Amino acid sequence: MTKKYAFYVLLIVAVMLAACGPAATPAPEEPMPEAPTQAPPEATEAPAMEEKASFAFELVAEDDGASPEGAAAVANKLVADPTFVAMGGHAFSGATAAAIPIYEAAGIPMLSPSATNPDLTKSGSAVFNRNAFTDVEQAKAAAEFIFNNLGFTKLAAMHDGGDYGQGLAQLVADNFTAMGGEVVAFEAITPGETDYTAVLSAVAAKSPEVLYFGGYNAEGAVITNQMAQSGLEGVVFFGCDGTFGADFLEKTGANGEGAYATTLVPASSPEKDAFDAAYTERFGVAPGVLSPYSWNAFDAGNALMTAVTQVAVVSADGEPEACASDAFGCAVIEPGQTIKVGYSGPITGDYAAFGQDMSQAMMIAVDAFPPIEGEGTLYIPRGALVTAVRTMSDFQGIAGTITCQENGECNASGPVLYVIQDGVWTPAAR
């Protein structure tokens, strides 16, 4: 049940002072009567009224560098804070995998807007959830479009060696082969380099019709810009949700024309338009420019905070029974403290645009979410919160509906295919 609490009550006590005027001077021939002595009336104390507390949400954004080591360090830091209750992340799949066991032990629910590696929901974790579509769905959609819509039968796959990129490229290759296509090359690159002409030349020797890349826009843009000089002129570049966005357009320019990508950019709606305007006004850039996950991150933050309100209890009479019976106990938030919701991703470095975008989108959600109010201390049963997130159903976000399955898969929308036409990402005809 969701509790609604009244807003702050201000108690104003007015003190009234009586002023006495000077007494008249008596006639001298008449004795002055003695004034009776009387104790002043005792002041009556107003009954004490307990002030209602307001417990606001606070976003704690941490930079994990998109690495497993960084993610583990962030997770250990956050779970040590008793007012930290939920994680809107992590952003990257490899980092997420390293952090899950730490949150699992502490009873901290996760809802990642962007970690799409299929294995993340196969580990049996009770705390990991995501509202991004999975790489299984993304890979199938990409392979079907390449084979059925574009009519290509020879595909080269490249990846950045990471959990996300390599896993996605392998899934596309598997799907493409199952449809009757031929995978002529499957190559890895080293992230962060500026020259991939050697590996591209090796791929060109296999005469592919399309080059699929699993990874992110930094490397995807370098590959796209070097394809023609490496013997791949006329070969179509097909990216993923990691390469979609204005950053890819900016880095590739004319070389990006005709490139494809999958994404989860939602259709226009009054709610999406309002968020877009707020994001643009606050940060000076439109959502979706730095990464395609702006809307998912906003939804993840709101969904987590909604779950908190469903299980939270404000009590002036000590710890409620729900805390004693909860496997992880309660987060105890005293008046004056905030309810901390986390986000973690790469905020600096090569992939900073991704992390900055999602943290900014989540910041808008957290800042706008109403506080929990009531008299006393706020208690949040941690195990109950884990269950509330995992059993979330029909949560209407701006990116789509969030309904979590038993394994933590919560996306009900799926990927959308885009192609660059005249320098603009445009929905691809299917």
Side-chain angles (χ1 to χ4, degrees):
M1 182 189 300
T2 303
K3 288 198 170 186
K4 299 291 183 185
Y5 300 96
F7 194 69
Y8 272 123
V9 175
L10 296 178
L11 179 61
I12 303 173
V13 179
V15 179
M16 302 177 65
L17 300 175
C20 298
T25 304
E29 66 275 9
E30 293 184 3
M32 183 181 289
E34 216 173 273
T37 58
Q38 183 177 352
E42 290 186 6
T44 305
E45 251 183 47
M49 292 181 66
E50 188 164 354
E51 185 177 339
K52 290 187 178 179
S54 181
F55 302 93
F57 287 90
E58 177 186 353
L59 178 67
V60 181
E62 296 285 347
D63 186 354
D64 62 22
S67 73
E69 299 79 12
V74 166
N76 280 315
K77 174 185 175 182
L78 291 176
V79 299
D81 184 342
T83 63
F84 169 65
V85 299
M87 166 51 69
H90 288 220
F92 282 30
S93 295
T96 300
I100 288 175
I102 298 167
Y103 296 124
E104 194 88 43
I108 301 292
M110 307 169 68
L111 185 58
S112 173
S114 57
T116 56
N117 187 286
D119 291 342
L120 293 174
T121 52
K122 294 178 182 178
S123 65
S125 170
V127 302
F128 176 73
N129 310 275
R130 58 178 158 211
N131 61 319
F133 55 72
T134 70
D135 290 344
V136 170
E137 297 168 305
Q138 180 175 191
K140 183 179 179 183
E144 287 179 345
F145 188 87
I146 292 169
F147 190 82
N148 296 325
N149 295 76
L150 298 181
F152 295 148
T153 58
K154 291 186 176 183
L155 175 143
M158 294 177 63
H159 60 84
D160 62 2
D163 288 354
Y164 161 74
Q166 182 172 353
L168 184 54
Q170 187 63 62
L171 286 167
V172 170
D174 291 345
N175 277 274
F176 192 74
T177 301
M179 293 173 194
E182 180 185 2
V183 177
V184 298
F186 192 87
E187 299 289 344
I189 60 167
T190 302
E193 295 188 350
T194 58
D195 186 357
Y196 296 123
T197 54
V199 66
L200 288 171
S201 296
V203 169
K206 304 295 181 65
S207 303
E209 298 168 292
V210 58
L211 190 159
Y212 183 87
F213 176 67
Y216 298 98
N217 56 1
E219 290 75 26
V222 175
I223 290 171
T224 302
N225 289 335
Q226 295 176 351
M227 285 176 66
Q229 70 190 77
S230 303
L232 290 167
E233 187 173 5
V235 174
V236 172
F237 177 88
F238 205 113
C240 51
D241 58 330
T243 63
F244 180 87
D247 189 57
F248 184 85
L249 294 176
E250 182 180 336
K251 290 177 177 176
T252 59
N255 293 327
E257 193 70 15
Y260 287 84
T262 45
T263 186
L264 36 69
V265 175
S268 180
S269 69
E271 295 78 14
K272 176 183 178 294
D273 295 345
F275 166 76
D276 290 357
Y279 185 106
T280 304
E281 180 180 358
R282 183 164 179 178
F283 301 113
V285 62
V289 170
L290 300 176
S291 91
Y293 302 107
S294 313
W295 304 275
N296 258 27
F298 179 79
D299 287 350
N302 277 317
L304 287 172
M305 291 183 290
T306 298
V308 171
T309 66
Q310 291 171 344
V311 301
V313 178
V314 180
S315 172
D317 301 320
E319 186 175 274
E321 173 59 32
C323 297
S325 60
D326 194 280
F328 294 99
C330 276
V332 180
I333 319 291
E334 299 291 349
Q337 294 182 316
T338 55
I339 311 162
K340 292 188 177 69
V341 175
Y343 165 79
S344 185
I347 300 176
T348 59
D350 291 339
Y351 307 110
F354 279 81
Q356 289 169 4
D357 173 60
M358 286 182 269
S359 63
Q360 289 171 176
M362 211 168 289
M363 193 181 302
I364 291 178
V366 171
D367 289 351
F369 203 90
I372 298 174
E373 298 180 340
E375 296 178 2
T377 299
L378 176 67
Y379 298 90
I380 303 171
R382 295 189 181 277
L385 180 57
V386 168
T387 300
V389 176
R390 177 56 58 88
T391 58
M392 186 172 292
S393 179
D394 295 327
F395 178 88
Q396 297 300 319
I398 56 176
T401 301
I402 295 178
T403 295
C404 295
Q405 302 173 32
E406 290 183 4
N407 62 354
E409 297 289 1
C410 304
N411 180 278
S413 301
V416 181
L417 290 163
Y418 278 72
V419 60
I420 299 176
Q421 292 181 344
D422 298 324
V424 178
W425 285 112
T426 306
R430 301 183 72 171

